[in-house]
Amino acid sequence: MAVGTGTTGSKHREIAPAAFLIWGGVTAFALLLVASILGAPLAVANNHPAWAATVYHAFSYVCHQLPERSFHLLGHPLAVCSRCTGLYSGFAIASLTYPLVRSLSRTDTPARRWLLLAALPMAVDVGLDVIGVWRNTYYSRLATGLFLGAIAAFYVIPGLIDLLNINWRGLRRRRAAVSS
């Protein structure tokens, strides 16, 4: 997969077509989740309760969905709480813009400490609320979720690309061995 050298003598890797497929699939899925989160209250408001109930039920496995901790749209709560809305939205935005920030040919992930540091504001927001020092708000929960969700994309996307590249190379080797 390595390809030549550039004018500066540094090695670079060719972007595999599979990397575009993984990035596109992850981004499409993330945007679909955000659309579903926003679509559930819209469905209720527009007399499509069965579809909305399916979405609310699906998200109930990953979110408490407390109405008092959720943003509302047209008088109905979103399918997830404000923190989860931030997590999903942050991940979707970062996924969408990922190739503008980092090459799809890179499959290394940032050091784990950055992921832990990205979770720290959320932990502080929750912790201070639990001990009564600070009352978190819709917006503090949204902001901490956005931040962690965006950072998580820089671990998930290269990990999936690397996983697919490993499997893809193994499949090509097996096919080559069978055909020779």
Side-chain angles (χ1 to χ4, degrees), residues 66-115:
L66 296 174
E68 64 273 11
R69 290 187 167 252
S70 302
F71 288 109
H72 287 66
L73 185 61
L74 300 177
H76 304 281
L78 298 186
V80 294
C81 70
S82 57
R83 191 176 315 277
C84 288
T85 298
L87 286 165
Y88 287 108
S89 299
F91 189 89
I93 293 165
S95 294
L96 190 61
T97 60
Y98 185 90
L100 300 174
V101 177
R102 186 177 172 139
S103 172
L104 291 174
S105 67
R106 289 187 61 186
T107 58
D108 60 309
T109 56
R112 280 190 209 127
R113 70 176 168 267
W114 296 114
L115 186 59

Side-chain angles (χ1 to χ4, degrees), residues 80-172:
V80 294
C81 70
S82 57
R83 191 176 315 277
C84 288
T85 298
L87 286 165
Y88 287 108
S89 299
F91 189 89
I93 293 165
S95 294
L96 190 61
T97 60
Y98 185 90
L100 300 174
V101 177
R102 186 177 172 139
S103 172
L104 291 174
S105 67
R106 289 187 61 186
T107 58
D108 60 309
T109 56
R112 280 190 209 127
R113 70 176 168 267
W114 296 114
L115 186 59
L116 294 172
L117 285 172
L120 188 60
M122 184 180 295
V124 169
D125 189 47
V126 170
L128 291 178
D129 186 58
V130 167
I131 63 173
V133 172
W134 150 272
R135 182 94 176 129
N136 61 29
T137 66
Y138 291 108
Y139 299 106
S140 69
R141 293 188 294 266
L142 177 70
T144 58
L146 278 166
F147 186 58
L148 181 56
I151 297 301
F154 290 88
Y155 292 85
V156 173
I157 293 172
L160 289 174
I161 291 170
D162 190 46
L163 182 65
L164 183 70
N165 282 340
I166 290 169
N167 290 336
W168 186 256
R169 284 189 298 256
L171 178 64
R172 284 190 291 187

Side-chain angles (χ1 to χ4, degrees), residues 22-45:
I22 289 292
W23 166 71
V26 167
T27 301
F29 185 67
L31 291 171
L32 176 67
L33 289 174
V34 172
S36 296
I37 289 166
L38 297 172
L42 292 173
V44 171

